[in-house]
Amino acid sequence: MIVLLLNLYIAILVTLIWLKIIPNTLLWKLSPIPVLVLLNVVLFIPMGWGAPTGGAIIGRHSVSIVPDVSGEVIEVTVSPNVSLKAGDVLFRIDPTPYSAQLRALEAQLKLAETRLAQMTELARKQAAPEFNVEERQSEVDRLRAQVDGARWNLDKTIVRAPADGYVTNLALRKGARVSNLAVSPVMAFIDTTEAVTIIQVPQNYARYIEPGQKVEITFKLLPGQVFTGRVESVLQAIAPGQTAPSGSAAENRDLTPEPFVVRATLDDPTLEDRLPAGSVGSAAIYTEHVKLSHVIRQVILRQQAILNYIWPY
């Protein structure tokens, strides 16, 4: 853009000299140099924080599906990348051992309830101590709790979608044995109920970014188009600044100015639903400073939108 403006100035200068409106002197011939410096100092350098730009990406929440019970998979009912509703069945685990456990506990509970009724009747007739009734009642309560747990385990042999979304990179097959360990997820579920638009801005350009400021984004998937939105928030933490408890002293490490992360909300609520997770592009944020640079940034962003037709990076 700076080259375009400089060439425009030179073209106007040549035209004015040719028309003899200004003299053909060395001073005018060297004038593009101070103009170039002026453009950089007054416009293009301040544009970095007046209208900062950075890469943008559409993200979605991913849920690692880990069954609540272990067992052999007897059916996988989903296909990869097919839309699902919350509660749709993902796969089924062999319920036989859990069903047997539930029936055994129900039988024990039925017997315990019968014993409790008999003991209560005997206590009413003062033929047995009250302590025996309390003991039988405790046994019934314990078995009822175990029955509830066994019924819950049996219900969890059917693994369901936690929200609206789809399963991606599906490798689970019938006959596989799955575990309820958190370190052994069996599939990745992409939640489509909410999409996140993330913009990465260099730290030295993020100083004036505030919620509510206008955002413009162009995506590689939709070349030639520019979409508008608003800054939702500037995330107050990035990975390099994260610390975790450990048994060692602080370690020295290379400190590089990683970009800050800005979360944006698009004005078109359907756009995030249409774009696949991972869709990337370029974004510009228009702050309350150096407003003269906003027009230049808008032109540059639209040039990038057109280049998206042919430029893959």
Side-chain angles (χ1 to χ4, degrees), residues 3 10 35-36 44 50 106 110 114 128 133 163 191 216 232 256:
V3 175
I10 293 174
V35 169
L36 176 61
F44 282 93
E106 286 176 338
K110 184 177 180 180
T114 301
V133 177
D191 185 346
E216 288 189 331
E232 181 179 325
T256 57

Side-chain angles (χ1 to χ4, degrees), residues 171-193:
L172 186 66
R173 294 293 183 270
K174 177 182 178 180
R177 184 167 183 83
V178 296
S179 170
N180 60 347
L181 298 176
V183 295
S184 303
V186 297
M187 61 177 62
F189 183 87
I190 306 300
D191 185 346
T192 57
T193 56

Side-chain angles (χ1 to χ4, degrees), residues 224-265:
Q225 301 182 58
V226 176
F227 304 93
T228 59
R230 295 285 171 182
V231 172
E232 181 179 325
S233 62
V234 180
L235 303 191
Q236 295 301 304
I238 56 176
Q242 182 178 359
T243 61
S246 68
S248 60
E251 297 181 1
N252 293 327
R253 57 181 176 177
D254 294 333
L255 299 179
T256 57
E258 299 290 339
F260 283 149
V261 177
V262 177
R263 182 167 177 171
T265 302

Side-chain angles (χ1 to χ4, degrees), residues 57-77:
I57 189 170
I58 297 292
R60 299 190 186 281
H61 299 291
S62 176
V63 180
S64 296
I65 301 298
V66 179
D68 292 302
V69 296
S70 303
E72 180 183 346
V73 176
I74 60 174
E75 183 183 14
V76 179
T77 59

Side-chain angles (χ1 to χ4, degrees), residues 18-274:
W18 181 71
L19 294 175
K20 297 183 179 181
I21 297 177
I22 59 176
N24 186 13
T25 62
L26 181 61
L27 178 63
W28 283 108
K29 290 179 180 179
L30 295 178
S31 63
I33 296 177
V35 169
L36 176 61
V37 174
L38 187 65
L39 286 173
N40 276 285
V41 173
V42 175
L43 189 58
F44 282 93
I45 293 177
M47 183 171 62
W49 59 81
T53 185
I57 189 170
I58 297 292
R60 299 190 186 281
H61 299 291
S62 176
V63 180
S64 296
I65 301 298
V66 179
D68 292 302
V69 296
S70 303
E72 180 183 346
V73 176
I74 60 174
E75 183 183 14
V76 179
T77 59
V78 295
S79 298
N81 304 311
V82 175
S83 296
L84 299 169
K85 295 293 185 181
D88 286 352
V89 177
L90 300 178
F91 62 94
R92 290 183 170 87
I93 298 172
D94 187 1
T96 303
Y98 300 101
S99 178
Q101 182 185 33
L102 176 60
R103 291 198 303 272
L105 288 171
E106 286 176 338
Q108 294 177 37
L109 175 61
K110 184 177 180 180
L111 177 61
E113 289 175 338
T114 301
R115 297 285 188 183
L116 174 62
Q118 294 172 345
M119 194 60 65
T120 301
E121 182 64 21
L122 290 174
R124 188 181 66 81
K125 296 178 180 179
Q126 297 184 346
E130 190 68 27
F131 172 77
N132 289 351
V133 177
E134 295 174 354
E135 188 177 34
R136 293 295 180 182
Q137 182 65 57
S138 175
E139 182 181 5
V140 168
D141 292 342
R142 176 176 58 82
L143 287 171
R144 283 174 179 170
Q146 291 180 353
V147 166
D148 289 341
R151 189 174 289 117
W152 184 85
N153 286 338
L154 180 60
D155 180 66
K156 292 303 179 179
T157 60
I158 301 176
V159 182
R160 302 180 183 275
D164 293 351
Y166 59 89
V167 174
T168 187
N169 195 26
L170 178 63
L172 186 66
R173 294 293 183 270
K174 177 182 178 180
R177 184 167 183 83
V178 296
S179 170
N180 60 347
L181 298 176
V183 295
S184 303
V186 297
M187 61 177 62
F189 183 87
I190 306 300
D191 185 346
T192 57
T193 56
E194 181 186 16
V196 180
T197 303
I198 295 297
I199 305 170
Q200 292 186 333
V201 179
Q203 293 190 14
N204 57 328
Y205 294 154
R207 70 191 78 168
Y208 297 126
I209 297 177
E210 297 177 356
Q213 292 173 342
K214 182 180 177 181
V215 173
E216 288 189 331
I217 305 179
T218 177
F219 292 100
K220 291 290 184 181
L221 186 63
L222 302 172
Q225 301 182 58
V226 176
F227 304 93
T228 59
R230 295 285 171 182
V231 172
E232 181 179 325
S233 62
V234 180
L235 303 191
Q236 295 301 304
I238 56 176
Q242 182 178 359
T243 61
S246 68
S248 60
E251 297 181 1
N252 293 327
R253 57 181 176 177
D254 294 333
L255 299 179
T256 57
E258 299 290 339
F260 283 149
V261 177
V262 177
R263 182 167 177 171
T265 302
L266 298 178
D267 292 335
D268 183 357
T270 65
L271 180 60
E272 292 177 334
D273 296 332
R274 292 189 286 122

